[in-house]
Amino acid sequence: SGGAKKYKVVLLGESGVGKSSLVLRLVKDEWIESQHSTVGASFFRYACHLEEGTTVNYDIWDTAGQERYKSLASMYYRSAAAALVVYDITSADSFERAKYWVRELTTNSPETIITLVGNKCDLEHQRKVSFDDAKRYSQEMGLLHCESSAKEGTRVQTIFVEIARKLTAT
Ligand code: GTP
Ligand code: MG
């Protein structure tokens, strides 16, 4: 009951961490090895059905991670109900960049629910960011945290279900 609720979600993070790949896995359950680097931002819709019969409709903005688009990001995260701040578990630099986005969001958009997402967890043998460090940081900052693989489809839907639960609980 209560009908469908609609929320704006933004993906932020360094170029190449897999933001577009996560969205492609989410909305089409597809994977392409040679995903093109995003220009500006892309828009997607996704309906998330919860067990109790509630539907949450997401308006998803997949932003471009390249440096030249950095100043545009605030247009996309402004008024976002939720943000996925994505890093690549094989790149310490991408984790530092994720922390930058977390600071930016907590300063300029304090109501936005943030999930820190460590993507490419299929590349365990190349890991540079420990799960525990990222978990500890997330707890300190009050963020949701998980690791995903867009390539293997690990935990991609789950992220959006957890956000939906948090959004509909408030
Ligand atoms: P920008 O649009 O430039 O900001 O990059 P992005 O964050 O959207 O990254 P994108 O989805 O384009 O992925 C970059 C590269 O990482 C691509 O070659 C993907 O195939 C690869 N990739 C994405 N997700 C995964 C993953 O979960 N595992 C592995 N092994 N590779 C991935
Ligand atoms: Mg992209």
Side-chain angles (χ1 to χ4, degrees):
S1 64
K5 300 174 184 73
K6 191 169 174 162
Y7 298 101
K8 177 178 162 185
V9 182
V10 64
L11 281 85
L12 296 164
E14 190 170 79
S15 180
V17 296
K19 299 178 296 299
S20 300
S21 300
L22 285 167
V23 176
L24 183 66
R25 176 60 77 189
L26 180 76
V27 303
K28 286 190 170 174
D29 200 15
E30 284 176 13
W31 159 256
I32 45 172
E33 193 77 49
S34 53
Q35 176 71 52
H36 288 289
S37 191
T38 305
V39 174
S42 309
F43 178 74
F44 300 86
R45 288 211 161 96
Y46 176 67
C48 181
H49 304 287
L50 302 177
E51 285 126 49
E52 58 272 26
T54 313
T55 298
V56 168
N57 289 314
Y58 288 116
D59 281 352
I60 301 175
W61 287 99
D62 169 26
T63 68
Q66 287 179 25
E67 193 65 31
R68 71 183 108 147
Y69 300 112
K70 209 168 165 185
S71 62
L72 298 177
S74 68
M75 291 195 324
Y76 299 104
Y77 70 63
R78 196 182 301 140
S79 79
L84 270 64
V85 176
V86 185
Y87 64 98
D88 167 355
I89 69 150
T90 74
S91 161
D93 282 352
S94 76
F95 187 55
E96 290 310 309
R97 177 56 66 94
K99 290 178 174 172
Y100 163 85
W101 286 120
V102 169
R103 285 193 298 273
E104 182 89 1
L105 284 164
T106 52
T107 307
N108 300 322
S109 189
E111 304 300 312
T112 302
I113 292 169
I114 304 171
T115 305
L116 184 66
V117 179
N119 190 43
K120 308 197 187 181
C121 71
D122 55 288
L123 300 176
E124 183 60 42
H125 56 293
Q126 293 173 36
R127 178 186 287 276
K128 297 286 178 342
V129 182
S130 93
F131 181 84
D132 289 343
D133 286 351
K135 181 63 73 189
R136 200 174 313 117
Y137 170 75
S138 300
Q139 283 167 350
E140 280 167 20
M141 300 298 287
L143 320 174
L144 300 169
H145 171 246
C146 77
E147 290 188 349
S148 64
S149 168
K151 184 171 185 174
E152 296 183 344
T154 313
R155 271 178 234 109
V156 181
Q157 266 94 359
T158 316
I159 296 167
F160 286 83
V161 170
E162 289 198 1
I163 294 170
R165 293 200 187 294
K166 190 131 189 189
L167 287 169
T168 53
T170 54

